[in-house]
Each structure stands twice: as structure tokens, then as C-alpha cells.
Amino acid sequence: MKLLGLIGGTSYHSTIVYYRMINEMVAKEIGTQGNPPLLLYSLNIELMRSQDVDSINAEYLKIAQKLERAGATALVICANTPHMAYEYVQPRIGIPIVHIADAIGKEAKRMELSQLGLLGNKPTMTKGFIQKILKENYQIQTIIPEERFLPQAHTYVSKELTQGVFSVQAKQFFLNQMQLLKTRGAEGIILGCTELPMLIKADDTELPLLPTTDLHVQMAVRFILN
């Protein structure tokens, strides 16, 4: 099995989910007698909350280089928002970063979806690092909630979900947003926050859901076992 490097900590809840799911999915393939070798670097979530792009880029590059020197053959960033550092980090290291948007794009193509709604925190929805790859590599258009709803979405993610709080109010808010995105043409919904699939389940809506964590982990496991 290939040695994978994981960059986590944003949040530690999502990192636990990534670690657990990677081990569980590999076990389904090789049996429970073994587990994949993994390198995990968990950073302080306050870095991402600062939204200081230069500091984020510099720290993620430093971590990526550490994991590469330690023997990782590829990297997985265990959350959506930190992928904003991808364009800065990837050209400066010698191993691939398994990008979350590629995992989304491949699944959307399989499902024959061409227009997706994107939910997450404000940077994930507005920075364009998921939308760009979906459009350029998979010809998929992405819709985000109206500007007036972005602060509330960000608050629910940063103040509740990433801190392990899953309230009825947050669930209803995101379900309402999904319906609004549907009226604007969304054929499916990207759950672009690692904790969102813990809040919203497939049975909660008739819209196809693309939970980024599940898809990203599946892609990472394929790399490990390839």
C-alpha cells in the first residue's frame, strides 16, 4: 500500500472522520487483519479562521514538505476550505495532492449532473477553488446561495458544525438553501463541508447529494491501493 500523508485539524472532527473512513474502506478491500500506513499532521484550526491567505499558504507548504520528506507519496487535505492553498502548494512539492474537486467532478460526471449547488462556509463557497476545477476539468457549473445568506451559512459552519454542534436550526437552514438552489437550476448539491453530511442525510431531500468527504476518501483509498 502507498503511504499517504494527511493534513488535518480543520476541524479535528473532520480529521477523525477522514482517518476512520480511510481505514474502514481499506479494510473492506484487504480485510480487517491490516490497515493502511498513514502520516497525519494536525494543525491548529485558528490558522484557517484567520483567513490570512499568505500565512495559510506558507503553513500548508511547510507541512506538505515535512510529509513529503517523511515519505508520503501523495497528500490529502482533510477538509474543503484548506484546498484554497492548493494552487500555491502543489507546484512547490514533488508529490500529488489528491484534490477534493476532482473527487466531486468524477462523481458528478458518473451521475450525469452538469449544474450543482455548493454549500459550505463562506470561503469554500466564494473563493472559487472548487468551482474552477469543476468548470475547467469537468464542464460543470456551480451555484452558491444568494449573498444575503452567506453570513448565516458561514456562522453555522464555523460556530457550530466545526465545533461538533448539529442543531435543528442549522439543518433547517441548509435544507431551505438546497431548495432555493434547486429553483435556480441545481441538479444536485455539493455538501462542501466535512461536517455537513453529519447534519444532512440523503433521506432529508429528493436532490442528489455529493458529500465531499465520502468522495474524497474514496479517491484517497484508490490511490493507496493502486
Side-chain angles (χ1 to χ4, degrees), residues 115-119 141-144 181 186-191:
Q115 188 153 258
L116 300 173
L118 171 61
L119 296 176
Q141 300 297 320
T142 310
I143 310 168
I144 66 172
L181 290 169
E187 302 166 345
I189 302 293
I190 302 167
L191 298 180

Side-chain angles (χ1 to χ4, degrees), residues 29-188:
E29 298 294 327
I30 70 169
T32 57
Q33 75 278 2
N35 57 281
L38 297 168
L39 293 171
L40 171 61
Y41 191 109
S42 185
L43 54 77
N44 187 338
I45 195 173
E46 286 301 316
L47 172 69
M48 192 56 56
R49 287 185 177 143
S50 75
Q51 287 301 295
D52 183 331
V53 175
D54 291 339
S55 296
I56 291 168
N57 285 341
E59 186 66 15
Y60 271 82
L61 177 59
K62 183 171 70 175
I63 294 168
Q65 290 170 334
K66 284 182 179 179
L67 292 173
E68 182 178 11
R69 288 194 299 269
T73 56
L75 300 177
V76 167
I77 299 172
C78 300
N80 290 265
T81 306
H83 280 78
M84 62 192 292
Y86 172 85
E87 287 194 350
Y88 180 82
V89 175
Q90 182 64 93
R92 293 170 171 82
I93 59 176
I95 57 175
I97 298 173
V98 180
H99 201 294
I100 203 165
D102 286 314
I104 299 166
K106 292 177 188 297
E107 178 66 5
K109 280 294 187 183
R110 187 192 69 79
M111 298 172 72
E112 299 182 342
L113 304 175
S114 60
Q115 188 153 258
L116 300 173
L118 171 61
L119 296 176
N121 65 16
K122 189 171 183 179
T124 295
M125 293 187 290
T126 61
K127 294 290 186 182
F129 52 85
I130 288 178
Q131 294 95 315
K132 180 180 179 182
I133 289 179
L134 289 180
K135 183 178 181 180
E136 293 180 355
N137 296 355
Y138 301 93
Q139 296 74 55
I140 293 170
Q141 300 297 320
T142 310
I143 310 168
I144 66 172
E146 296 175 22
E147 177 69 32
R148 61 195 172 107
F149 296 119
L150 296 181
Q152 186 62 66
H154 185 80
T155 297
Y156 276 130
V157 171
S158 62
K159 302 297 185 183
E160 292 194 12
L161 303 188
T162 59
Q163 297 183 39
V165 178
F166 303 95
S167 68
V168 174
Q169 291 81 4
K171 182 171 185 175
Q172 191 57 56
F173 171 82
F174 284 111
L175 287 174
N176 289 341
Q177 291 307 307
M178 289 164 61
Q179 289 303 311
L180 290 172
L181 290 169
K182 180 183 178 182
T183 64
R184 293 167 56 201
E187 302 166 345

